[in-house]
Amino acid sequence: MATDAMTRSSGGDDAPAPSAWKALAGAAYRPYWLDDPGRPGPRPALVGEERCDLLVVGGGYSGLWTALIAKERDPDREVVLVEGKEIGWAASGRNGGFCAASLTHGLGNGAARWPDELAELERLGLRNLDAIESAVERYGIDCDFERTGEIDVATEPYQVDELREAARMAAELGVGEQEFLDRDAMRAEVDSPTFLAGLWDRRGVAMLHPAKLAWGLARACAELGVRIYEHTPAERLASAGAGMAVSTPYGRVRARQVALATNAFPALVRRIRPYIAPVYDHALMTEPLTEEQIDAIGWRGRQGLSDTANHFHYFRLTADQRVLWGGYDAIYRYGGRVRAEYDHNPATYRTLAQHFFRCFPRLEGVRFSHAWGGAIDTCSRFSAFFGSAHGGRVAYALGYTGLGVGATRFGAEVMLDLLAGERTERTRLEMVRSKPLPFPPEPVRWAGIGITQWAMTRADENGGRRNLWLKAMDKVGLGFDS
C-alpha cells in the first residue's frame, strides 16, 4: 500500500481483461463535460479593490446558486463572486450529472441521523429539485435536464432485501414515486446479467450536463448584475471594520458579508477544516452507442443507475448516447491534499473498465473516449453541514459528499438565511443546527479511513455484514463514504 494514498480496488487484484485495456486506449485524460466546444471564454481576474454587499467565494454550484438567489431576493444587493480558476472547473464540472432531491444522502442515512425530521427534509428536498427545474427553464439554461429518475440496483442477494425495506420506508413517509422492481422488471428497464432487483425513484432525480448547468448559472448571475472574477483565488479572510476583507493575488474585496462555497478546498475559516476529508472519485465516458447497442441493453428510459454496494458504481446515459461509468474506488491522500496530479489514476480506470464489461458484456468492443477524476468534499455524516463565523458576517455550507448537484441550491438558501439572521424552516432544522463529527488529525485520519475502507470491502464480500469496526463507527456517527 502506498504511503500517501488510501484506495480500494477489489477488481484490481486480477490482471485486467484485454477488452478493458483496448477500450481505454486513446481515452483523453480530461473531463468529458468540460471538453465542450460551447465552453465559455475566460473572465478577467480581479485587479485592485472591489466593494460589495455580499462576496461569494467559489464558482461551483454552491457559490453560483448563492449569488443567483441573493440577487433574486434583493435585486439591489451588490454581489461579487470570485473563483480561483474557472467557473465549474472542479467538482461542478466533473460529477456524474445526477441531480438528486435528497438532502440527506438517501433515506437510510437520513433516518439514522434525523428520524424526527426526515419527512420534512424529504419535502424540502423535493421542493428544492422542483426549484432547480424551474430555474433551468426560467433562465433558459440548456443543460440537457431530464427528470427520468434513478434506479438503485441490487447485484447481490442481500441487497434485494435492503431495497424492499427502502421501498417500505419510502411508502410509509409518502416520499415521491418509488417502485420496487423484481429481477424481471429491472432487466426490462436496463438489461444486465448482474441485476437482481431495483428501486426506481421516478421523480426524485434528474439527469443533466453538469458543466452546462454551471455555465448557465454563471450567465444568469451576470445578467442579474453579479460581478464575476475568474483566476482569483481567495487567500485570506479578515475582519475589516463592520465588514470583511478577502485578499486575492492582485487585489482585495471589502464586503459587508461573505459566503464561503469552497467545496473540498481548504476553508478560509480554519476551524472548519477538520470536518472535510477530500476524497478522489473517478469516471469513464464511452464513445456514443449505436441504436443496436442501446437495444442490446434496453436502456430506453434513460434513468440514472447506481448499484448498492459500499463501494458502488454510478452510471447514466448522456444526451448523445454515451455511457458515463464512475465510482467504486475512493482515494484519500495523506494530509487531505488537493492537487491536479491526483485527478488521474490509471489503476482505477482499468478497474472501472473491467467492471463495465462485467456489467454489460453485450457492449464488448465499446471504447472509452474520456477518463478523469476529481475531489469530493466528504464529511463524516455524508451530507452538508452549515454555519457562520465572524459574528454572523460569514456563512458556509460544505460536506456534500458527492450529492451536491442538487443539494447545493438548498445550501445556498441556508447560507443566505444565516447571513440575514433569519429563523426559517431551513435554519430551524437539527440538520442545519448540528455539525458532523470532525475527522481526527493525521496520521490517525489516514489510518482510520484505510481501516474503514478495508472493513467496507469485507462487508461487500460477506453479504453486507458489518464488522465490529463499522458497527462502532455507526454508533458514534463517524462514517466514510466511498
Side-chain angles (χ1 to χ4, degrees):
M1 181 173 293
T3 58
D4 70 336
M6 193 69 71
T7 184
R8 182 268 189 190
S9 271
S10 72
D13 294 337
D14 303 321
S19 57
W21 289 106
K22 185 177 179 180
L24 287 166
Y29 274 24
R30 56 182 178 268
Y32 167 78
W33 310 115
L34 298 176
D35 195 13
D36 191 290
R39 184 173 184 171
R43 293 175 170 85
L46 171 66
V47 178
E49 184 161 296
E50 262 278 22
R51 292 178 179 267
C52 60
D53 297 314
L54 173 66
L55 170 64
V56 179
V57 178
Y61 299 138
S62 188
L64 293 166
W65 282 118
T66 302
L68 184 68
I69 296 170
K71 292 295 283 185
E72 289 177 339
R73 290 187 181 186
D74 181 1
D76 294 327
R77 179 163 25 189
E78 284 194 288
V79 180
V80 168
L81 184 149
V82 295
E83 162 55 42
K85 291 194 177 179
E86 295 178 359
I87 293 297
W89 76 276
S92 297
R94 297 165 185 263
N95 64 80
F98 287 65
C99 186
S102 178
L103 305 175
T104 63
H105 215 93
L107 278 176
N109 191 51
R113 299 181 188 278
W114 305 285
D116 296 336
E117 291 182 345
L118 186 56
E120 176 72 355
L121 287 166
E122 290 296 311
R123 182 186 69 81
L124 290 172
L126 285 167
R127 191 176 75 184
N128 182 66
L129 181 56
D130 289 341
I132 292 172
E133 184 172 17
S134 177
V136 166
E137 181 178 355
R138 183 166 66 255
Y139 292 108
I141 299 174
D142 180 14
C143 62
D144 303 332
F145 190 98
E146 299 179 279
R147 202 154 174 179
T148 51
E150 179 182 5
I151 303 178
D152 291 334
V153 180
T155 57
E156 297 289 343
Y158 75 91
Q159 296 167 3
V160 176
D161 292 335
E162 293 178 350
L163 292 184
R164 289 187 189 276
E165 174 59 22
R168 184 196 62 77
M169 183 186 302
E172 286 184 355
L173 290 170
V175 176
E177 303 172 43
Q178 302 209 15
E179 178 185 355
F180 177 80
L181 306 174
D182 63 19
R183 179 183 177 278
D184 291 342
M186 178 64 239
R187 293 187 63 173
E189 294 297 329
V190 185
D191 192 9
S192 165
T194 67
F195 294 170
L196 304 180
L199 181 62
W200 187 0
D201 183 350
R202 289 180 174 271
R203 294 286 297 165
V205 184
M207 298 292 108
L208 52 77
H209 186 303
K212 287 183 177 180
L213 175 61
W215 300 334
L217 288 173
R219 175 184 55 77
C221 285
E223 289 173 353
L224 293 182
V226 177
R227 301 193 294 276
I228 301 174
Y229 297 95
E230 293 183 325
H231 300 286
T232 304
E235 296 180 329
R236 184 172 178 269
L237 172 71
S239 297
M244 303 298 301
V246 171
S247 302
T248 69
Y250 306 110
R252 182 175 66 167
V253 183
R254 295 175 67 95
R256 189 169 59 85
Q257 297 176 321
V258 177
L260 299 179
T262 50
N263 190 44
F265 296 92
L268 293 177
V269 177
R270 296 186 66 89
R271 61 180 167 83
I272 62 176
R273 292 184 183 182
Y275 292 100
I276 294 293
V279 173
Y280 278 83
D281 178 56
H282 296 84
L284 305 176
M285 186 72 81
T286 72
E287 62 190 357
L289 301 188
T290 65
E291 285 300 311
E292 291 76 18
Q293 289 168 329
I294 292 288
D295 287 340
I297 56 177
W299 202 343
R300 293 298 177 182
R302 300 186 55 79
Q303 312 95 328
L305 286 91
S306 175
D307 61 51
T308 55
N310 288 308
H311 292 275
F312 61 92
H313 307 85
Y314 54 87
F315 39 116
R316 47 81 54 103
L317 287 171
T318 65
D320 59 350
Q321 301 287 63
R322 300 169 185 263
V323 179
L324 177 142
W325 179 266
Y328 194 72
D329 279 349
I331 301 175
Y332 174 74
R333 301 285 180 171
Y334 187 90
R337 294 184 291 263
V338 180
R339 296 178 180 172
E341 58 262 36
Y342 298 157
D343 288 346
H344 301 293
N345 187 16
T348 293
Y349 298 151
R350 292 193 296 269
T351 296
L352 285 172
Q354 193 168 3
H355 291 181
F356 175 84
F357 291 113
R358 186 181 302 161
C359 181
F360 293 121
R362 293 180 181 176
L363 296 183
E364 187 75 31
V366 167
R367 291 178 178 267
F368 297 103
S369 64
H370 294 75
W372 71 93
I376 293 173
D377 59 335
T378 297
C379 77
S380 64
R381 73 184 192 187
F382 313 148
S383 54
F385 64 92
F386 316 89
S388 59
H390 290 275
R393 291 171 291 175
V394 176
Y396 55 84
L398 300 165
Y400 291 96
T401 317
L403 218 66
V405 181
T408 44
R409 186 191 176 280
F410 176 82
E413 292 209 279
V414 171
M415 282 196 284
L416 292 170
D417 290 350
L418 292 173
L419 291 172
E422 296 177 350
R423 184 170 173 81
T424 68
E425 61 183 345
R426 290 174 289 271
T427 59
R428 286 193 294 267
L429 292 167
E430 173 64 21
M431 177 194 178
V432 170
R433 293 185 290 109
S434 64
K435 292 281 194 301
L437 287 174
F439 291 102
E442 301 290 13
V444 177
R445 175 189 290 207
W446 185 84
I449 289 174
I451 294 169
T452 301
Q453 289 190 312
W454 170 83
M456 291 165 66
T457 300
R458 293 297 302 272
D460 284 342
E461 295 169 349
N462 291 282
R465 291 185 291 276
R466 298 173 75 80
N467 64 13
L468 291 176
W469 175 268
L470 290 180
K471 289 177 180 178
M473 294 298 100
D474 293 340
K475 188 172 183 179
V476 301
L478 185 62
F480 177 81
D481 189 67
S482 67

